[in-house]
Amino acid sequence: MAGAAETALVREDTTGTEAVAGVAIALAVLLFAFDVGVLFDVVSIDGTIAGIPTVALLGGLLVLLGGAVVSFGVGSFLGYVETEPSPDAGLVAAAVFTLVWFGLGGAAAQAVAGGSLLWLPAAAATGGLAFAVAVLTREDLGSTLPAGAVAIVVGVVYLTGTIGPAWAWNLGFEQQASITAPFLVPVATAGCALLAGWAAAKAYGGFGARGRRMGAYLLVYTNAGAIISVLFVLIAFTAFRGIPGLLNGAAVGPGVGPSVSVLGVGVALPVSVPFVTNGVGLLNDFQGVFPAIVGTIWLVVGAVAFAVPLGVGAAVFLTEYAERGRLTQAVEVATNGLWSTPSIVFGLFGFTFLVPRFAGNKSLLSGMLTLGFMLLPLVLITSREALLSVPDEYRDASAALGVTKWQTIRSVVVPAALPGVVTGVILGVGRIAGETAPILLTMTGGTFVSRDRAADVIGGFAFTAQPPFVTNPELLQATTALPFQLYALITAGVGLGDNVSNPTEFQWATAFVLLLVVLSFYAIGIGTRYYFRRQLRHE
Amino acid sequence: MSDITQTTEADSADTTETADAASTGVDGPSATGRSSTETTAGETDEHVREEWREYAFEGDAKFAVEDLDVYYGDDHALNGVSIEIPERSVTALIGPSGCGKSTFLRCLNRMNDRIKSARVDGSVRIDGEEIYQDGVNLVELRKRVGMVFQSPNPFPKSIRENIAYGPEKHGDIDTGLLARLLNRSDADERDRLVERCLRDAALWEEVSDRLDDNALGLSGGQQQRLCIARCLSVDPEVILMDEPASALDPIATAKIEDLIDDLAEEYTVVIVTHNMQQAARISDQTAVFLTGGELVEYGETDQVFENPHSERVEDYITGKFG
Ligand SMILES: Nc1ncnc2c1ncn2[C@@H]1O[C@H](COP(=O)(O)OP(=O)(O)O)[C@@H](O)[C@H]1O
Ligand SMILES: [Mg+2]
């Protein structure tokens, strides 16, 4: 051994201590997840779990967690646990601890001494102490003591009932604002769990560089997990509330569903979901949103059919033909600007320029074109990026075979760029399918539309002897779409008549169906992109 | 620079004489004691003589290049290159990197047109026809003069589509939907073409059972041979290769070298390489470019490697610089 500071090449068996720290991390993660549940009302804050009030349970877990973290730090400092700590906890950690303890000390003083200015010195004292511990003591103490102590203090506050489910702190603002327990408890608990979990992760790694990496991992994974869980909670929440309305009057059994013709033979489907297959009508047993679904689908199809060829064409011109210079820069700035333009402005544009030109009233076609214009800039931007990322080697190889530029673009460059283009369309459709403002101004007629007024675009085509030879009245009629219908349901609130027994259920079901429609477009997009990628790569 | 006595002798294209010169020539040029100064790059400063670049060969010249200058903006990349390249043979271009070998190669099928900053002066004739004049059909030129690039660049398509790509775009075979509907699809013809090109490129045995797989799934050496096969598909007369084996392992390289040997029976092959052993192994004649985009020496490969006229070329070949 050249020196005591030398790091061992092979870490000695540390299973025992790692297990302690591992349990602490698990505790922190559990607390965090539990907490998300409380925040989203999945777990009731004034209820009990296994006979223990929720807040008390949270407090107990926090005290346990804090205790584990602190004892691990002390154990390491006293040499019972083998670790490789740095001389101090680091400035960032010190700053965070200082802030937290500053707030904690201030709040405590405020609660004890009331409205006096005493809270300031108290806050400064606790903050300073935390800073000193973090900076002046070795890392194993410096990063565990302040973190663990926060968890213990907050836990004790919960356990003693100082802050209970009914607790509220009136801020004394003009607007009657107050911080209540259902908000404060989950947020504070999550903060403590993160802090203590980070300290536990550091301990798990044995402090030092490895410990810091572990701490960073914990934060990164928690962050990623939180993002994913927000998505799932959102979908689950909508599904939870929407499914009862969606399944209102639904039946499964041979022959109960609407009949469809397969190869000329009418076959009745074995499932019936009136909410999806019905419109709104006086004689309906169950009201549904069929016209709105059809309207949304046609809107998206029309907008994509309009924007994708234009956008890809413009991108091809800009990337492959135009000299890179003023023009391309100007177009780039313009497209980025267009993409950031508020949708209501697009709506107004459609209202002013498109609506008067097509039959003079709001129409499906105006809606399609308005959304198409909204989609265009994104398709252009992403197609351009995708075309630029096609390697020049393909173009060279093709040119060296004597193939013309246009043929090269068509047969090699655009196919290689297609997955990127599809990515752009996916993102764009996600935006436009849920737009309400533009279609409000350009497309939508009545809110509650009967089934026979659903847009039948394919059946609407008719041939005439005079130019333009093809007409389609369906495209020129106002119709409805899911986001608009949802908006109208919520703002109008009533108007569904007696046939809908539960308007809230109806609203949530509409929202859920909208989510499903958008997600299926998304799925179609992902599938398409996968298909094109398969064509380009070997698998 | 008084070394005329030796160089005039060796200038003859006669092989036996060159071989003789070669046996004594290892220490020959340097032993004659040229007056030369060294540049900082380790290259000696000498005056290039016209006769070092004269190479008499039997048969017809495929390319006749005269006073070719290429500029990239202000950068003078090729400096007055004149050279005649015989048909149905392998011509190697060697020289340190940045001396303009690729630039020269790209002049032969006008791929330099694709580089915006490039400007070409001078004359290149293929079978006596000037390719730098108005009215040249680039499609036809590039069909006749194919090119294989340094790094294998197959299209992200199936092996079959890669080979059939050129002929399909030129309308020589038609397997499109319309043709299939009208029952005049050339699918059989295409399959025969694919097989012939792959056989010629010595790849058929390895890929015949997976023609529909994506070409990017092949190994680097296979990809490069696929690129050669693709180049053969449009029935070229000349194949230009720019360091075709530089990204490959020794075994793949050996396969490509064998292939080049076979191809030279039917095609005129011009190959750039930075591997001197390779040039010596596979080429019939060698042209040496040195810094400044100058063609310094051109002649039979054995003569150039064993008994170069230019002291700089000798220094380069023996590895003193470059
Ligand atoms: N596309 C280009 N644009 C500008 N300069 C180039 C380009 N290609 C080559 N050059 C320049 O021309 C000279 C010769 O290059 P190149 O023909 O690629 O040499 P080599 O193939 O012998 O290594 C170099 O100085 C290089 O910097
Ligand atoms: Mg090169």
Side-chain angles (χ1 to χ4, degrees):
Chain A
M1 272 270 167
E6 185 163 310
T7 311
L9 188 59
V10 180
R11 279 166 55 84
E12 279 161 43
D13 182 30
T14 47
T15 13
T17 52
E18 269 183 7
V20 175
V23 167
I25 296 175
L27 209 57
V29 172
L30 182 78
L31 248 176
F32 196 79
F34 190 38
D35 214 47
V36 171
V38 174
L39 194 63
F40 285 100
D41 259 356
V42 181
V43 182
S44 158
I45 190 164
D46 37 41
T48 57
I49 292 170
I52 313 166
T54 307
V55 177
L57 184 66
L58 284 176
L61 284 176
L62 274 178
V63 171
L64 257 178
L65 173 62
V69 167
V70 169
S71 48
F72 195 98
V74 174
S76 161
F77 187 71
L78 297 179
Y80 295 126
V81 182
E82 194 157 337
T83 54
E84 291 153 4
S86 315
D88 60 73
L91 264 188
V92 178
V96 171
F97 288 150
T98 312
L99 267 180
V100 169
W101 275 101
F102 186 88
L104 215 56
Q110 182 82 357
V112 174
S116 70
L117 262 183
L118 209 67
W119 70 269
L120 192 62
T126 47
L129 186 67
F131 185 81
V133 170
V135 173
L136 297 182
T137 61
R138 223 170 62 174
E139 191 193 8
D140 43 5
L141 275 190
S143 59
T144 54
L145 280 191
V150 172
I152 294 176
V153 168
V154 173
V156 167
V157 166
Y158 290 171
L159 279 178
T160 55
T162 314
I163 290 182
W167 180 87
W169 175 29
N170 195 329
L171 290 171
F173 293 167
E174 217 178 301
Q175 289 92 347
Q176 279 281 318
S178 59
I179 295 179
T180 57
F183 170 77
L184 179 76
V185 168
V187 170
T189 313
C192 294
L194 262 190
L195 214 57
W198 170 77
K202 266 185 124 176
Y204 181 79
F207 303 103
R210 192 164 172 267
R212 269 198 292 282
R213 202 178 61 213
M214 286 295 174
Y217 279 168
L218 183 98
L219 294 186
V220 170
Y221 282 124
T222 318
N223 187 18
I227 291 173
I228 295 174
S229 55
V230 165
L231 177 70
F232 274 98
V233 164
L234 204 83
I235 295 179
F237 196 67
T238 318
F240 192 66
R241 305 247 167 147
I243 283 177
L246 176 65
L247 294 183
N248 200 359
V252 181
V256 297
S259 58
V260 292
S261 73
V262 180
L263 306 169
V265 185
V267 180
L269 292 176
V271 248
S272 153
V273 186
F275 186 78
V276 176
T277 53
N278 279 4
V280 174
L282 273 179
L283 300 176
N284 284 351
D285 292 337
F286 302 101
Q287 309 294 14
V289 291
F290 178 75
I293 297 176
V294 173
T296 296
I297 291 175
W298 277 119
L299 258 185
V300 170
V301 169
V304 168
F306 170 71
V308 168
L310 266 185
V312 174
V316 165
F317 171 75
L318 286 175
T319 334
E320 306 285 326
Y321 289 99
E323 283 291 324
R324 201 160 295 187
R326 282 281 151 74
L327 174 74
T328 52
Q329 272 176 359
V331 173
E332 239 158 64
V333 171
T335 43
N336 289 336
L338 265 185
W339 177 239
S340 342
T341 301
S343 58
I344 187 77
V345 176
F346 276 99
L348 206 58
F349 160 79
F351 182 68
T352 322
F353 292 100
L354 298 178
V355 169
R357 279 166 180 73
F358 303 121
N361 57 320
K362 296 185 191 179
S363 63
L364 182 56
L365 189 60
S366 312
M368 285 173 171
L369 290 182
T370 308
L371 291 188
F373 280 119
M374 281 184 63
L375 185 58
L376 191 57
L378 186 70
V379 172
L380 179 53
I381 294 168
T382 48
S383 307
R384 212 166 119 69
E385 288 300 320
L387 287 169
L388 284 173
S389 68
V390 173
D392 266 340
E393 275 106 66
Y394 297 162
R395 297 183 180 88
D396 284 343
S398 186
L401 287 167
V403 175
T404 58
K405 190 165 183 174
W406 171 239
Q407 278 177 319
T408 304
I409 291 170
R410 239 185 41 190
S411 325
V412 180
V413 180
V414 169
L418 270 183
V421 175
V422 175
T423 304
V425 176
I426 292 173
L427 290 176
V429 164
R431 179 180 176 194
I432 63 162
E435 273 302 343
T436 315
I439 57 175
L440 182 72
L441 292 175
T442 56
M443 183 185 112
T444 47
T447 314
F448 306 110
V449 182
S450 61
R451 189 191 151 96
D452 51 317
R453 277 183 52 208
D456 178 14
V457 173
I458 294 175
F461 278 106
F463 297 94
T464 56
Q466 291 96 29
F469 302 114
V470 185
T471 61
N472 194 339
E474 293 288 341
L475 283 177
L476 297 179
Q477 271 167 13
T479 180
T480 183
L482 287 167
F484 167 74
Q485 182 139 349
L486 189 57
Y487 161 80
L489 280 172
I490 292 170
T491 48
V494 285
L496 282 167
D498 302 333
N499 287 7
V500 174
S501 46
N502 188 346
T504 316
E505 220 173 49
F506 199 82
Q507 288 166 8
W508 279 106
T510 310
F512 183 53
V513 169
L514 173 61
L515 195 65
L516 284 187
V517 168
V518 173
L519 286 182
S520 13
F521 276 120
Y522 185 67
I524 293 173
I526 301 274
T528 317
R529 182 169 63 181
Y530 178 73
Y531 171 79
F532 285 132
R533 276 206 185 134
R534 277 289 298 270
Q535 300 261 300
L536 294 178
R537 288 192 195 131
H538 58 98
E539 233 116 87
Chain B
M1 300 179 197
S2 52
D3 46 354
I4 314 162
T5 41
Q6 244 207 330
T7 49
T8 34
E9 248 180 36
D11 236 354
S12 151
D14 190 330
T15 327
T16 51
E17 214 172 330
T18 322
D20 281 350
S23 56
T24 60
V26 180
D27 59 346
S30 42
T32 48
R34 290 170 194 162
S35 62
S36 50
T37 53
E38 279 201 6
T39 63
T40 41
E43 259 181 77
T44 25
D45 195 14
E46 64 176 358
H47 204 80
V48 179
R49 286 170 180 279
E50 204 53 48
E51 57 267 29
W52 299 347
R53 309 191 288 212
E54 273 162 21
Y55 168 53
F57 50 85
E58 288 163 24
D60 295 330
K62 190 76 195 173
F63 283 107
V65 178
E66 259 172 61
D67 292 329
L68 190 67
D69 283 274
V70 179
Y71 306 84
Y72 293 107
D74 293 335
D75 184 9
H76 198 166
L78 271 192
N79 190 349
V81 172
S82 300
I83 189 172
E84 290 203 340
I85 294 173
E87 65 175 6
R88 289 171 206 272
S89 64
V90 180
T91 306
L93 310 178
I94 62 173
S97 60
C99 67
K101 306 178 298 288
S102 304
T103 302
F104 175 76
L105 205 66
R106 285 199 299 265
C107 287
L108 300 182
N109 63 348
R110 288 190 57 170
M111 283 293 274
N112 275 332
D113 292 16
R114 294 171 52 74
I115 300 171
K116 288 208 179 62
S117 60
R119 186 162 57 82
V120 179
D121 274 346
S123 144
V124 176
R125 272 171 290 142
I126 174 167
D127 293 328
E129 273 186 293
E130 177 63 44
I131 65 170
Y132 284 94
Q133 62 175 332
D134 291 342
V136 171
N137 181 350
L138 283 187
V139 171
E140 188 55 35
L141 172 68
R142 290 183 186 152
K143 273 165 80 173
R144 280 212 234 165
V145 184
M147 190 164 201
V148 176
F149 295 81
Q150 179 164 4
S151 54
N153 56 354
F155 299 125
K157 298 169 180 286
S158 74
I159 295 172
R160 194 198 308 276
E161 285 167 328
N162 261 281
I163 309 261
Y165 177 79
E168 265 171 15
K169 297 302 152 203
H170 295 313
D172 297 339
I173 55 176
D174 190 352
T175 56
L177 184 65
L178 193 63
R180 264 180 291 165
L181 286 178
L182 297 176
N183 209 9
R184 53 173 172 74
S185 162
D186 300 328
D188 289 346
E189 200 181 322
R190 180 193 59 187
D191 289 345
R192 275 198 302 278
L193 175 88
V194 169
E195 176 170 354
R196 198 195 72 219
C197 293
L198 285 173
R199 277 194 195 285
D200 286 353
L203 190 60
W204 175 251
E205 313 291 336
E206 290 161 59
V207 301
S208 60
D209 53 346
R210 48 179 173 137
L211 293 178
D212 290 317
D213 288 6
N214 196 303
L216 299 184
L218 298 175
S219 74
Q222 289 172 324
Q223 287 189 7
Q224 193 61 298
R225 275 177 286 151
L226 178 70
C227 291
I228 295 175
R230 181 178 65 188
C231 164
L232 299 178
S233 70
V234 291
D235 206 16
E237 296 163 10
V238 182
I239 303 171
L240 309 176
M241 298 187 178
D242 194 348
E243 307 193 16
S246 67
L248 305 183
D249 63 272
I251 293 174
T253 303
K255 285 189 182 159
I256 301 268
E257 285 180 13
D258 288 346
L259 176 59
I260 291 170
D261 217 37
D262 297 339
L263 291 176
E265 288 171 16
E266 256 190 87
Y267 305 90
T268 306
V269 178
V270 184
I271 175 170
V272 170
T273 170
H274 58 201
N275 178 336
M276 274 173 282
Q277 284 77 27
Q278 189 177 56
R281 273 196 303 269
I282 61 176
S283 67
D284 300 304
Q285 54 276 331
T286 299
V288 188
F289 288 75
L290 291 181
T291 319
E294 261 186 318
L295 172 63
V296 176
E297 187 152 353
Y298 177 47
E300 190 146 5
T301 298
D302 292 342
Q303 175 260 309
V304 171
F305 277 97
E306 283 159 27
N307 188 17
H309 305 311
S310 158
E311 197 178 334
R312 284 193 293 160
V313 170
E314 165 147 330
D315 287 350
Y316 173 66
I317 287 171
T318 51
K320 283 205 189 148
F321 72 90

